[in-house]
Amino acid sequence: MVFAAPGKYVQGSGAVSRLGEVLGQLGSGSPLILADPIVPEIMGDALEGIAGATHLEFGGECSPEEIERVAIAAAENGSDAVVGIGGGKTMDTAKAVAHPAGLSLVIVPTIASTDAPTSALSVVYDEHGAFLEYRFFERNPDAVIVDTAIIAGAPVRFLVAGIGDGLATYFEAEASSRTRKQAMAGGAPTSAALTLARLCYDTLLEHGLAARLAVERGAVTPAVEKVVEANTLLSGLGFESGGLAAAHSIHNGLTALEGTHHYWHGEKVAFGVVAMLMLEERPAAVVEEVVDFCLEVGLPVTLEDIGLEGVGREDLEKVAEAACAEGETIHNEPFEVYPRMVVDAMIAADAFGHQRRALHTGEAHLPAVAH
Ligand SMILES: [Zn+2]
C-alpha cells in the first residue's frame, strides 16, 4: 500500500500572505512564480516582497511546448523553486517544470475547480486542448496554499466544477480498491485514502449547496471552507492514493469531441460519474442521490449539458474508444470494459438525467451554471 500527500497544506481566508514564509521554510531564495494573467489583479500586492522572485505569465495550456518554455526560463534565471499560481493547467505546468529539474514546488490554486493541487501528477494536453497523457512525478508539491477569500471571489462555476471532480473520488477509489489495483501513488489503496474519499463525498452532499450559494455572493462561510477542503485536499488525497476508474476515462474520452471543450474538467467528470454508475449497475437509489445532487448544485446531468446536444452514436463511439484506450483508468473497474458498454452507459446516464430533471421541474433546483 502507498499513501502520498504534499508536505504542507495551508487553507484559509488570506492564506496567500504566508507564501513568503513557506518559501523561506523551503530554503528558496530565487523562486520562479508562474501565474495566470489575472493573478496580479486578484492578489494585489500579496506577491510583492517575495525575495528574489522571477515572474512569468502562464501561456494558457499545459502542453509540451509550454512546459518547455517555462523550464527554459527557470534554468536561465537559476530558479531554486517554482510557484504555480492559478488554475489546474497552471499548476500542472509548474509541477512538470519543477519535478524533473529537482526544484522545490509550491502550488497556490486561485480556484477550487479540480483536485490537481496536492497530487504528484500533471495532465498534459495538446495545443488544441485534447488530452495527451498523464505525467507522474516522484514527489508531491512541497506546499499547497489555498486562500479561500480568493476562491470565493472567483466565478462560482469553478467551485461547482470542483464539486463535480470531487464527486468522482469516492466511487473511483472504491472501484479500484475492489480490484486492489495500483493507485496513482504507486501501490494498493490504504484505508486512509478510502476514508478520506468517503468523507469527501459526504462533505459535498452535506455542504455543497450552501457553499455554492455563499460563493455566488462572494462570502466565505464554514460551508465554503469545508467544500474547498473537500474539492482540494480530500479529493486530491483520495484520488491519488485511492485510484481513478471509469469516470475520469469517460472524461478523457469526452475531450475528443469539440463540443465539450467549453466545459470544465469537473463538469465532464460529473457526467462521467453518472455513466460510471450505469456501467457498474449501481442501485437506482445511488444514481438518484448523485443525479439529484448534481441538479441541486447545478452540475451537468445530460449530454446536452456538456455541449453534446443531438450527438450521434458514431461520435459517442469515438468517446468510448478513447475512454477504453490502453492504460486508461477505466480498466481499474472490477470487470472487463469494452467501448460498446461505455456508449450504452453514456446514453443511459443522459436518459436518467433527463428523467430526474423533468421530475424536479418547478422544484427548488438550481439551473446549471450559465456558460
Ligand atoms: Zn479530476
Side-chain angles (χ1 to χ4, degrees):
M1 296 188 287
V2 175
F3 183 83
K8 179 172 282 195
Y9 181 83
V10 182
Q11 182 188 311
S13 183
V16 78
S17 64
R18 297 181 66 179
L19 176 59
E21 172 197 330
V22 167
L23 281 166
Q25 288 164 351
L26 294 170
S28 169
S30 55
L32 176 82
I33 300 185
L34 178 71
D36 282 355
I38 197 177
V39 164
E41 189 185 318
I42 56 178
M43 290 201 177
D45 53 12
L47 298 182
E48 283 165 28
I50 303 282
T54 303
H55 294 266
L56 192 66
E57 192 173 288
F58 178 55
E61 187 56 80
C62 182
S63 61
E65 296 78 9
E66 177 68 359
I67 293 165
E68 176 76 13
R69 181 184 78 93
V70 180
I72 289 169
E76 281 175 354
N77 286 286
S79 306
D80 55 13
V82 180
V83 181
I85 309 181
K89 290 173 187 289
T90 317
M91 298 183 256
D92 279 4
T93 303
K95 289 180 199 174
V97 171
H99 290 314
L103 308 177
S104 296
L105 175 65
V106 180
I107 296 292
V108 185
T110 53
I111 50 178
S113 67
T114 73
D115 50 20
T118 58
S119 78
L121 69 99
S122 293
V123 189
V124 181
Y125 296 85
D126 70 18
E127 297 157 86
H128 310 293
F131 172 78
L132 270 186
E133 58 174 352
Y134 291 110
R135 286 194 193 176
F136 298 91
F137 309 111
E138 287 171 6
R139 292 184 300 121
N140 293 69
D142 295 289
V144 176
I145 302 175
V146 186
D147 190 325
T148 36
I150 291 171
I151 304 282
V156 73
R157 183 179 169 193
F158 293 114
L159 184 85
V160 172
I163 292 173
D165 202 21
L167 207 51
T169 308
Y170 168 66
F171 294 110
E172 294 191 291
E174 215 238 338
S176 39
S177 73
R178 268 193 282 159
T179 41
R180 307 188 63 80
K181 283 277 172 67
Q182 189 164 308
M184 305 297 195
T190 52
S191 302
L194 277 174
T195 304
L196 293 174
R198 181 70 211 191
L199 180 61
C200 179
Y201 181 72
D202 292 341
T203 302
L204 294 178
L205 261 68
E206 200 177 331
H207 301 287
L209 176 60
R212 170 179 168 158
L213 295 172
V215 167
E216 266 174 341
R217 289 151 185 83
V220 181
T221 59
V224 172
E225 294 285 359
K226 281 194 182 300
V227 167
V228 170
E229 183 192 343
N231 284 8
T232 312
L233 184 65
L234 301 178
S235 184
L237 302 183
F239 99 78
E240 186 171 25
S241 294
L244 294 177
H248 272 78
S249 291
I250 293 170
H251 160 275
N252 293 342
L254 285 166
T255 67
L257 299 185
E258 174 67 31
T260 69
H261 288 191
H262 308 289
Y263 294 84
W264 294 97
H265 173 84
E267 294 172 331
K268 286 174 267 192
V269 169
F271 182 78
V273 172
V274 184
M276 170 178 171
L277 298 178
M278 292 296 175
L279 202 58
E280 291 186 341
E281 292 180 55
R282 293 272 188 165
V286 175
V287 188
E288 281 170 21
E289 182 176 75
V290 171
V291 172
D292 289 359
F293 174 72
C294 288
L295 287 166
E296 185 182 270
V297 295
L299 279 166
V301 296
T302 65
L303 287 164
E304 65 182 88
D305 287 348
I306 48 170
L308 298 179
E309 192 171 0
V311 65
R313 197 173 171 104
E314 207 171 285
D315 273 343
L316 291 180
E317 277 165 8
K318 274 186 223 161
V319 172
E321 289 287 347
C324 295
E326 200 185 320
E328 270 296 341
T329 55
I330 204 164
H331 304 299
N332 289 349
E333 292 291 335
F335 46 86
E336 288 282 336
V337 182
Y338 302 102
R340 180 186 46 77
M341 297 158 69
V342 177
V343 172
D344 290 338
M346 288 189 289
I347 291 170
D350 174 68
F352 203 97
H354 276 289
Q355 168 71 15
R356 295 304 290 180
R357 180 172 280 145
L359 206 63
H360 290 301
T361 303
E363 285 186 22
H365 284 85
L366 289 164
V369 177
H371 302 116

